Structure formats: structure tokens, C-alpha cells
Amino acid sequence: MRVLLAGGAGYIGAHTAVALLEAGHDVLVVDDLSNSSAEAVARVEQLTGAKIPFLAADARDVDALTAFVRTHAPVDAVIHFAGLKAVGESVAEPVRYYDVNIGTSIAILKLMAAEGIPTIVFSSSATVYGAPETLPLSEESPTGIDLTNPYGKTKRMIEEILKDAAAADPALRAVSLRYFNPVGAHPSGRIGEDPAGVPNNLMPYVARVAVGALDRVGVFGDDYDTPDGTGQRDYIHVLDLAAGHVAALEHAREGYEIYNLGTGTPVTVLELIAAFERAAGKKIPREILPRRAGDVAASYCDPSKAQRELGWTATRTIDEACRDSWNWQSNNPNGYARA
Ligand code: NAD
Ligand code: UFG
């Protein structure tokens, strides 16, 4: 298949590009580089030996997308990673989040209809479940409970748009992948997560403390109803996540499907820090802080639908994720910009 990766220069997109190329597919990338670097695409080319057609453009620009796709026709599928993803920022700038996240999705669906591209795989998120009533979360679990931030609402709205589009067009193959917490990096240390500024997420924050760029990790609450009182999440290695995209593309059928992509195993904040200490061979200073607004105590999935229907299962451990994250961070202390 030839696959257009919208947002393909980003963290998950770049790792998925490697997995697709290794599986024998072709990729082309559109990305406006608002949260990434063209260097990531260059490194994917180095890792795989492939030449990747790249368009630096806003994925809301249907005309630019159309010209790009026609130049590289036939394109068989789109994986839609493009969008803004910072939860706190989405509360402060809701209109920008709705504009970019919904706007890119609409533009991509228009492009697909006009150019006869049948398949879309969309980056959704476990955030659509809101505050879970029961765990583990299955695809049947209710969504939208106490969804407090515009970022999560955009993901839920885009899922609904895809469902409606698939109901109206019997030829459309649409898949939403609900990622749990993506972590880790390519074992080569050449591509990885490179958040701008101070990281919001736990793993890149811990990695920056380990490399000496930040003083200590703030642990947001130790009084949750969890084994050690700190928040539990389902951390999935980005290589497992990338493999999940390949499986979803290869199994996509007419209609609309949703899959959880996670390990099913909850890990606490303190357990993750301990795993990183083992990987880096150094102590990670930490400080217990109050709970972070909007956080849930625990979130982890039942991944059995993806296993059953896609033949996919996450195989990598939190120790492997920490080892690969540390390898990336220590080899690229300043990310892509000044590696
Ligand atoms: P990322 O920011 O690294 O990747 C997103 C890419 O989209 C970036 O390269 C960015 O430059 C690009 N982009 C943003 N707006 C664009 C636009 N208008 N036109 C073209 N490109 C645009 O993030 P990621 O971690 O790789 O996440 C990929 C997707 O997965 C996102 O949709 C995100 O919401 C979703 N997701 C991420 C996580 C996570 O924790 N990383 C969890 C669940 C879901
Ligand atoms: N945490 C800390 N200190 C930090 C950062 C996080 O203790 O500096 C804790 C949080 O309280 C939480 C856990 O670490 O218990 C994980 O937090 P992250 O910010 O890494 O991840 P979240 O589960 O809050 O959210 C992430 C993405 C969302 C996505 C969600 C589900 O940021 O976009 O996973 O996929 F929606």
C-alpha cells in the first residue's frame, strides 16, 4: 500500500513510517512542522534507506494535499496523526484546538472522497473515556464521561465524524485507534519523542531529569486508590503502537471500527521512575506534589479486540521502553534541533 501520513514527522508518525516501510509499504508525509522537525523524516530515510516524499504544509489545505497526492498517485490510505495534543493548552486555546484537529480531519475526508482513497486510520486517544467507571477499558466502555478538556472532545468528535462518514459511504474503511500512553523510542536512538519546552508527560519529563536538563520529577499525587498511591497508566512502547497501525491498515474493512492500543498492564508513576532508574543506572530525584487537575487515578485497557481482530498484541515491557527512551535522550540531549 502507499500511505499518506498526515503529521508523519511527529513522534508516533515517524515510528509508524519506519514500521510501514519495513513491512513493505510506501509512505509519503505531510506535516506543517508546528510540533516537529524535518530532521525526523530525514532520519527515517536513513534508518530505512527509503526516499520519502515530504510536503511541508498545513493538512487543512485541501488543494495542497490534492496536488501532493496526485503527484504520488495512487495513494491507498491515510493515517491521520496531524493535530495539537497538549491538554492544558487546549483549555487555554479551545478554538485553535477545534480548528486544527477538526479542520485537518475534515480536509482529509474531503481529499479522500475526491481522490477515491478508501482507507483512513485515525489517532484517537484513551482520553475519550474520560473518568473510567470500570477498568480495564474496553471499546464498549462509555466515552465522554467528565471529559474536561477541548483536546479530548476533539478526539471524540472526530470519532463521531468518521462513524457518520462510514455509515454514509459503504466503500469507506475507517479505523480509530485509541492509544493509551505511548512511550519509548526506536532502539537505534535515531528517532524519539522531542517535546518543545518543558514536557507535560511523565516519560519525557523523567528522561530530561535523567539527562540533567531538569532537577527533579514532580509526582502528581500519592493519595490515589492505587497500589502505591500514585497514578496508574497503560504505557505502550511506540514500536508496538507503530506495529498496531500496520495491522490496522492491513485488516481495515468497509465500515467503522475502534481499537484500543495498549498493553493491558497498569504501571504507577513510582514504578515507571524505578524502571527508568534501572535503565539509566542513576537515581532520579523526585518530589511528591499535589494531584494535577483533570487526572484520573487509573487508566488501562483490555486490548483483546485488537488481538482477536488484528492479530496484534503489545510485546515490549516498561523496562524496554525506558531503555529505549534513555538511549534516545542520552544520544540526543537536545532532541533533533541541536543533536
Ligand atoms: P506530535 O505532535 O509529535 O505529532 C503530530 C504532528 O502533527 C506533528 O508533527 C505536527 O507538526 C503535525 N501537525 C500539527 N498540526 C498540523 C497541521 N495543521 N497540518 C499538518 N501537520 C500538523 O504528536 P504524537 O505524539 O506523534 O501524536 C500523534 C497523534 O496521536 C496526535 O493526533 C495525538 O493527539 C495522538 N495521540 C497522542 C498521544 C501521546 O501521548 N503522544 C496519546 C493519544 C493520542
Ligand atoms: N505525572 C506526574 N508527573 C509529571 C507528569 C505526569 O506525576 O510530571 C503523572 C500523571 O499524574 C499521571 C501519569 O504521570 O498519573 C501519566 O501522565 P502523562 O501526562 O504522561 O499522561 P496522561 O495519562 O495524563 O495523558 C496522556 C496524554 C493525553 C492522552 C492520554 C491518554 O498526554 O494526550 O495520555 O492517551 F489523552
Side-chain angles (χ1 to χ4, degrees):
M1 272 189 260
R2 185 169 299 155
V3 189
L4 173 65
L5 306 183
Y11 170 46
I12 300 165
H15 290 84
T16 302
V18 172
L20 286 165
L21 289 162
E22 286 176 347
H25 301 290
D26 288 332
V27 303
L28 47 156
V29 170
V30 57
D31 199 302
D32 68 356
L33 302 178
S34 56
N35 196 39
S36 54
S37 161
E39 175 65 13
V41 180
R43 292 195 185 183
V44 172
E45 291 184 320
Q46 289 161 15
L47 282 171
T48 59
K51 178 84 195 87
I52 300 175
F54 176 65
L55 174 70
D58 192 314
R60 288 170 294 182
D61 184 343
V62 183
D63 292 341
L65 290 181
T66 304
F68 186 50
V69 157
R70 287 189 182 167
T71 306
H72 300 284
V75 170
D76 306 295
V78 180
I79 306 185
H80 176 23
F81 304 100
L84 305 175
K85 63 165 186 175
V87 172
E89 189 181 67
S90 81
V91 176
E93 299 179 60
V95 177
R96 186 159 79 94
Y97 269 68
Y98 288 115
D99 190 354
V100 173
N101 291 5
I102 309 284
T104 51
S105 306
I106 298 291
I108 287 166
L109 286 168
K110 284 182 179 168
L111 168 85
M112 292 171 61
E115 301 303 309
I117 302 172
T119 304
I120 179 166
V121 174
F122 169 62
S123 300
S124 189
S125 168
T127 196
V128 300
Y129 294 115
E133 281 176 344
T134 54
L135 291 165
L137 290 156
S138 86
E139 291 81 356
E140 308 301 317
S141 297
T143 58
I145 300 164
D146 293 337
L147 257 190
T148 51
N149 65 82
Y151 166 74
K153 291 180 191 174
T154 67
K155 293 295 179 192
R156 188 152 178 268
M157 287 175 191
I158 297 161
E159 287 195 357
E160 290 298 306
I161 291 168
L162 291 174
K163 189 175 165 191
D164 290 345
D169 175 1
L172 188 64
R173 302 165 174 221
V175 180
S176 288
L177 299 179
R178 291 179 179 160
Y179 310 158
F180 279 69
N181 290 59
V183 291
H186 193 271
S188 64
R190 297 292 293 157
I191 55 172
E193 188 172 13
D194 183 21
V198 177
N200 294 311
N201 298 118
L202 181 63
M203 182 73 108
Y205 201 105
V206 170
R208 296 249 172 118
V209 173
V211 83
L214 293 167
D215 285 348
R216 68 181 80 84
V217 185
V219 175
F220 297 143
D222 67 350
D223 56 354
Y224 287 109
D225 183 16
T226 61
D228 62 21
T230 65
Q232 286 181 311
R233 295 291 183 276
D234 185 339
Y235 297 96
I236 175 169
H237 195 298
V238 67
L239 259 58
D240 282 329
L241 195 61
H245 290 74
V246 178
L249 261 190
E250 292 178 346
H251 288 80
R253 298 283 172 268
E254 287 78 5
Y256 177 62
E257 288 291 345
I258 298 168
Y259 297 99
N260 284 338
L261 293 186
T263 65
T265 304
V267 170
T268 69
V269 174
L270 294 180
E271 286 167 349
L272 184 144
I273 293 173
F276 210 101
E277 289 183 331
R278 289 193 292 276
K282 56 171 81 174
K283 200 87 194 122
I284 310 277
R286 86 289 308 268
E287 165 185 29
I288 306 297
L289 296 177
R291 293 181 180 192
R292 181 172 65 179
D295 273 355
V296 298
S299 167
Y300 54 94
C301 78
D302 169 359
S304 59
K305 184 181 177 196
Q307 186 169 8
R308 219 169 36 245
E309 296 186 12
L310 305 178
W312 171 90
T313 188
T315 60
R316 293 167 178 86
T317 63
I318 192 70
D319 286 286
E320 287 171 271
C322 290
R323 179 199 66 198
D324 292 335
S325 175
W326 173 238
N327 186 40
W328 155 253
Q329 184 69 67
S330 52
N331 281 302
N332 307 267
N334 299 306
Y336 291 114
R338 288 149 287 135

